[in-house]
Amino acid sequence: MFQNIQNEKRVQLTDFLPTTLKEVRQRGWDYLDVILFSGDAYVDHPSFGAAVIGRILEAEGYRVGIVPQPDWHGDFRDFKKLGRPRLFFGIAPGCMDSMVNKYTANRRLRSEDAYSPDGRHDMRPEYPTIVYSQILKQIYPDVPVVLGGIEASLRRLTHYDYWKDTLKPCILKESGGDLIIYGMGELPMIALCQLLEDKVLHHEPDAFVETADFLNIVSKFPVSQTVTMVSENEVPGGITEDDIVLHSHEDCLRNRKHYAENFRHIEEESNRLHAQRILQPLGKNYVVVNPPYPPLTTEQIDHSFDLPYTRLPHPKYRGKRIPAYEMIKFSVNIHRGCFGGCAFCTISAHQGKFIMSRSKESIIREVKAVTKMPDFRGYLSDLGGPSANMYGMQGRNRDICARCKRPSCISPAVCPNLNTDHTQLLDVYRAVDALPGMKKSFIGSGVRYDLLLHKSKDEQANKSAQEYTKELILRHVSGRLKVAPEHTSDRVLHIMRKPSFQLFYEFKRIFEKINKEAGLKQQIIPYFISSHPGCTEEDMAELAALTKEMDFHLEQVQDFTPTPMTVSTETWYSGYHPYTLEAVYSAQTPQQKLRQRMFFFWYKPEERAKIQAELRRMNRPDLIQKLYGGLLERASMPASNPQRKKRKEREDKPYSFNPNFSKNNKRRR
């Protein structure tokens, strides 16, 4: 046994999925059915995808090994150390897209890799799905390779790659992999393993699946929620009237409007209860996207979360900090899916729009496990999900949902069929807070305030939303509540599929009223995005003026980052909105993006001259007056600083443009 430094809980090495041949032998195994290669460090926790897939297969009786962050240099010994599996190799590239994890929107290296020990940057390659697959195919050409995780899931068809600034085909083409499992992989993984056992191995422990047999079987018996690449005459069942045939990859390279047009079908079918099969020509082949499984039932999602996770990093990381684990180790995820449909977000593309909620009993079991951790101090960092307050929500009439193609249930308006009752969620919060050892449960996930302010015909739903709002603010905020209006321009917000900024005004008023009545001094922290499709410099200037008027010095801000398979990315790259095919302006160059971003920081002295010059160019002296006509507060200087008093005295007079300011400022820098 070993003692884990992080929480001093004693567990056995065999409590983890094996990562070495020695650990395989310690379990008494002489073979493995599936070997997973992960781009993340191995943390045996339900928030880490590789652990979930490994545990779900283990529960079905399969022997699973995992190789976390294999060394892709030199002799590839990490790819050989567990030998060949009976069924296939699985690629789990990471909880985040590898390029988003590594680079900022400006293509600069991030300060650390949150999913690697000690935040190291050298533990995974760029595009690990491609790198790992190509290495495995080089060493074991006859062993099937199955791609999964968000990286492959969102690259299952022609997609724009922001970091290479090019259109790329289905990732099966470049990686050499044999099949993609897209979305949340529990059900298709189980189905695939059972299919191979039944049709190829006939449950013989000494038999192995070879690539040719694998491809033959998955073509004859297509597994839902998988992607294959076949020749035209090998398309299962042939091409039928029920199939959606997209513009070919080659056509997309020639015609950006056709590329944009493809995406509407991709998104709609990703969010339907009864989707159609999608086909896309690629060279002499067709990419075949089989429809997804229905959303997990409560029993199914409970099963996934109730598996025997140790909730710890593997002992090989003893003494090393894994930033992502530190962030979530005292948090509990209560549901999957998001029906917000935000244009820039990949959650619905990967998890779908239908909410899959755990039972209160399953949630309580996990919270109890957290409270027993030796370093738990009574504070749950997050009791949430993709959107904190969508738990338990679904359409009242499921038949209406079955016919629906809308990617969002709340944009451009809340669907009248959506049940927005927060009662179930309040019940969960109160049950968690009543547990022994629990001092406070915080809601760290994003809250949809448009759901809280929505006026339904159901008075019980309206009453529960008001009750939830008050309880959230009084009991579940750690001093600062983060919400995401994203912008102030209703035109830009419409493209983002976000509600009018007027709703943020209303929510802020309620937040401040409840705080005042309770004698609290909590803050509301808004998130904003610059350079989103449809956003101009003038929109950002008006955002700066409005947020200054509301007394915000913005902190939670970012440039729009184009990631595969979002409406915003397809609009940004193609220049056309996929649903209307109308032309949409986007800031493309680094200079255009920086000119938008600087308006977030109107209060910084070093940005003042540039912002004023830009506003004069726009012929917006009214915004110069709004931003700089009165006092210019220096947020970076403490109130006790004597320099600040002198600065305030200088700035008590209305600001007038100083023609020497730019020159003087440059000299100071």
Side-chain angles (χ1 to χ4, degrees), residues 444-502:
S445 307
V447 174
R448 290 299 301 234
Y449 55 80
D450 45 347
L451 283 175
L452 299 178
L453 299 175
H454 172 63
K455 300 304 178 187
S456 166
K457 292 181 179 179
D458 182 345
E459 284 306 316
Q460 169 57 33
N462 295 337
K463 182 181 177 182
S464 73
Q466 293 172 1
E467 192 177 354
Y468 177 89
T469 303
K470 188 170 184 178
E471 181 151 334
L472 169 73
I473 294 169
L474 294 181
R475 295 184 57 83
H476 300 285
V477 176
S478 60
R480 310 174 96 200
L481 177 64
K482 296 178 181 179
V483 294
E486 308 294 8
H487 215 285
T488 57
S489 162
D490 282 353
R491 177 180 48 78
V492 177
L493 288 167
H494 179 74
I495 296 174
M496 289 179 165
R497 295 184 185 149
K498 296 288 286 188
S500 168
F501 193 65
Q502 292 301 315

Side-chain angles (χ1 to χ4, degrees), residues 425-444:
L425 185 52
L426 283 166
D427 187 34
V428 169
Y429 286 3
R430 289 162 184 167
V432 167
D433 288 349
L435 290 173
M438 180 64 64
K439 295 178 182 176
K440 198 164 187 178
S441 59
F442 296 116
I443 309 305

Side-chain angles (χ1 to χ4, degrees), residues 147-382:
L147 315 182
I150 196 164
E151 186 167 80
S153 180
L154 302 186
R155 290 170 169 80
R156 59 186 182 260
L157 291 157
T158 297
H159 57 279
Y160 173 66
D161 187 294
Y162 173 66
W163 295 272
K164 300 293 186 185
D165 191 24
T166 187
L167 275 192
K168 288 194 169 189
C170 169
I171 198 169
L172 287 174
K173 176 75 173 177
E174 190 172 357
S175 68
D178 299 298
L179 179 137
I180 296 170
I181 289 178
Y182 65 92
M184 308 307 284
E186 291 104 323
L187 296 183
M189 258 307 215
I190 293 170
L192 177 62
C193 289
Q194 291 175 344
L195 176 69
L196 296 173
E197 281 283 13
D198 293 343
K199 302 295 183 181
V200 180
L201 301 183
H202 307 293
H203 301 275
E204 292 290 337
D206 295 330
F208 292 87
V209 175
E210 298 204 350
T211 301
D213 294 328
F214 177 93
L215 294 174
N216 182 46
I217 288 299
V218 297
S219 178
K220 286 183 178 178
F221 304 96
V223 176
S224 296
Q225 211 167 304
T226 63
V227 182
T228 56
M229 190 168 63
V230 298
S231 62
E232 182 174 358
N233 61 0
E234 293 175 327
V235 173
I239 301 173
T240 71
E241 292 181 355
D242 292 330
D243 293 324
I244 295 174
V245 181
L246 303 177
H247 296 292
S248 70
H249 174 69
E250 291 74 19
D251 191 13
C252 290
L253 293 173
R254 294 187 295 266
N255 190 322
R256 295 194 180 201
K257 186 176 281 190
H258 285 178
Y259 171 67
E261 191 175 15
N262 273 357
F263 186 73
R264 176 172 185 170
H265 299 294
I266 296 168
E267 185 180 47
E268 286 180 342
E269 298 310 308
S270 296
N271 288 297
R272 292 182 66 186
L273 277 177
H274 306 294
Q276 293 173 258
R277 185 172 69 171
I278 292 177
L279 306 176
Q280 185 185 31
L282 172 57
K284 297 180 180 180
N285 295 319
Y286 274 76
V287 177
V288 180
V289 181
N290 295 305
Y293 274 93
L296 294 177
T297 64
T298 295
E299 292 74 22
Q300 288 171 328
I301 195 169
D302 279 359
H303 173 61
S304 182
F305 277 89
D306 289 346
L307 294 168
Y309 304 97
T310 64
R311 298 185 64 86
L312 298 169
H314 190 275
K316 66 183 288 184
Y317 306 115
R318 183 176 179 137
K320 294 183 172 65
R321 179 183 66 95
I322 300 173
Y325 171 70
E326 295 300 320
M327 186 183 301
I328 57 86
K329 72 175 180 177
F330 298 137
S331 70
V332 172
N333 192 345
I334 63 176
H335 76 267
R336 289 185 190 162
C338 178
F339 51 68
C342 296
F344 47 81
C345 182
T346 60
I347 288 174
S348 65
H350 191 62
Q351 295 190 11
K353 73 174 182 180
F354 293 99
I355 304 302
M356 295 161 276
S357 301
R358 299 170 64 184
S359 68
K360 182 175 73 173
E361 293 74 21
S362 175
I363 294 167
I364 294 299
R365 282 194 292 271
E366 186 175 358
V367 174
K368 284 181 177 178
V370 172
T371 63
K372 292 175 182 176
M373 297 174 72
D375 50 351
F376 180 70
R377 299 292 179 260
Y379 298 97
L380 204 64
S381 62
D382 187 24

Side-chain angles (χ1 to χ4, degrees), residues 393-640:
M393 294 184 183
Q394 60 182 355
R396 291 184 174 88
N397 185 337
R398 201 69 165 177
D399 292 337
I400 294 175
C401 295
R403 299 192 298 271
C404 180
K405 285 188 175 184
R406 281 178 57 175
S408 171
C409 301
I410 53 179
S411 178
V414 177
C415 175
N417 186 46
L418 180 66
N419 183 354
T420 57
D421 195 327
H422 287 70
T423 302
Q424 286 187 68
L425 185 52
L426 283 166
D427 187 34
V428 169
Y429 286 3
R430 289 162 184 167
V432 167
D433 288 349
L435 290 173
M438 180 64 64
K439 295 178 182 176
K440 198 164 187 178
S441 59
F442 296 116
I443 309 305
S445 307
V447 174
R448 290 299 301 234
Y449 55 80
D450 45 347
L451 283 175
L452 299 178
L453 299 175
H454 172 63
K455 300 304 178 187
S456 166
K457 292 181 179 179
D458 182 345
E459 284 306 316
Q460 169 57 33
N462 295 337
K463 182 181 177 182
S464 73
Q466 293 172 1
E467 192 177 354
Y468 177 89
T469 303
K470 188 170 184 178
E471 181 151 334
L472 169 73
I473 294 169
L474 294 181
R475 295 184 57 83
H476 300 285
V477 176
S478 60
R480 310 174 96 200
L481 177 64
K482 296 178 181 179
V483 294
E486 308 294 8
H487 215 285
T488 57
S489 162
D490 282 353
R491 177 180 48 78
V492 177
L493 288 167
H494 179 74
I495 296 174
M496 289 179 165
R497 295 184 185 149
K498 296 288 286 188
S500 168
F501 193 65
Q502 292 301 315
L503 286 184
F504 177 73
Y505 275 115
E506 175 64 11
F507 184 72
K508 182 174 181 288
R509 183 190 66 78
I510 293 170
F511 179 85
E512 290 171 346
K513 180 176 181 289
I514 292 173
N515 273 278
K516 185 177 181 180
E517 290 171 350
L520 298 173
K521 294 183 179 180
Q522 299 180 131
Q523 293 178 292
I524 189 168
I525 307 297
Y527 281 76
F528 289 98
I529 294 177
S530 61
S531 305
H532 188 275
C535 178
T536 65
E537 291 168 40
E538 194 163 353
D539 292 323
M540 291 302 300
E542 290 175 347
L543 181 153
L546 278 171
T547 53
K548 186 210 174 188
E549 185 181 306
M550 299 174 77
D551 201 27
F552 285 121
H553 284 188
L554 300 181
E555 305 170 21
Q556 302 294 334
V557 299
Q558 64 178 29
D559 287 338
F560 166 66
T561 305
T563 54
M565 204 170 283
T566 70
V567 175
S568 299
T569 296
E570 316 314 331
T571 305
W572 189 89
Y573 168 75
S574 70
Y576 301 97
H577 195 285
Y579 282 74
T580 65
L581 297 183
E582 294 175 352
V584 178
Y585 167 78
S586 295
Q588 296 275 346
T589 68
Q591 294 76 19
Q592 290 171 337
K593 292 164 74 73
L594 287 172
R595 282 203 298 269
Q596 290 202 18
R597 182 180 173 83
M598 72 179 178
F599 284 104
F600 284 140
F601 308 110
W602 59 267
Y603 54 85
K604 292 186 175 182
E606 62 268 25
E607 300 292 347
R608 182 170 176 170
K610 290 182 287 185
I611 288 174
Q612 288 178 327
E614 196 63 24
L615 291 175
R616 286 195 298 275
R617 185 188 67 79
M618 295 179 195
N619 195 26
R620 292 298 303 268
D622 59 312
L623 293 180
I624 295 178
Q625 178 65 24
K626 286 181 179 179
L627 289 174
Y628 302 115
L631 299 180
L632 181 61
E633 293 292 340
R634 304 296 199 229
S636 59
M637 297 185 66
S640 60

Side-chain angles (χ1 to χ4, degrees), residues 95-109:
C95 293
M96 282 183 67
D97 183 278
S98 66
M99 302 304 284
V100 176
N101 186 50
K102 188 166 186 175
Y103 297 107
T104 68
N106 292 323
R107 299 186 176 92
R108 293 177 180 170
L109 192 68

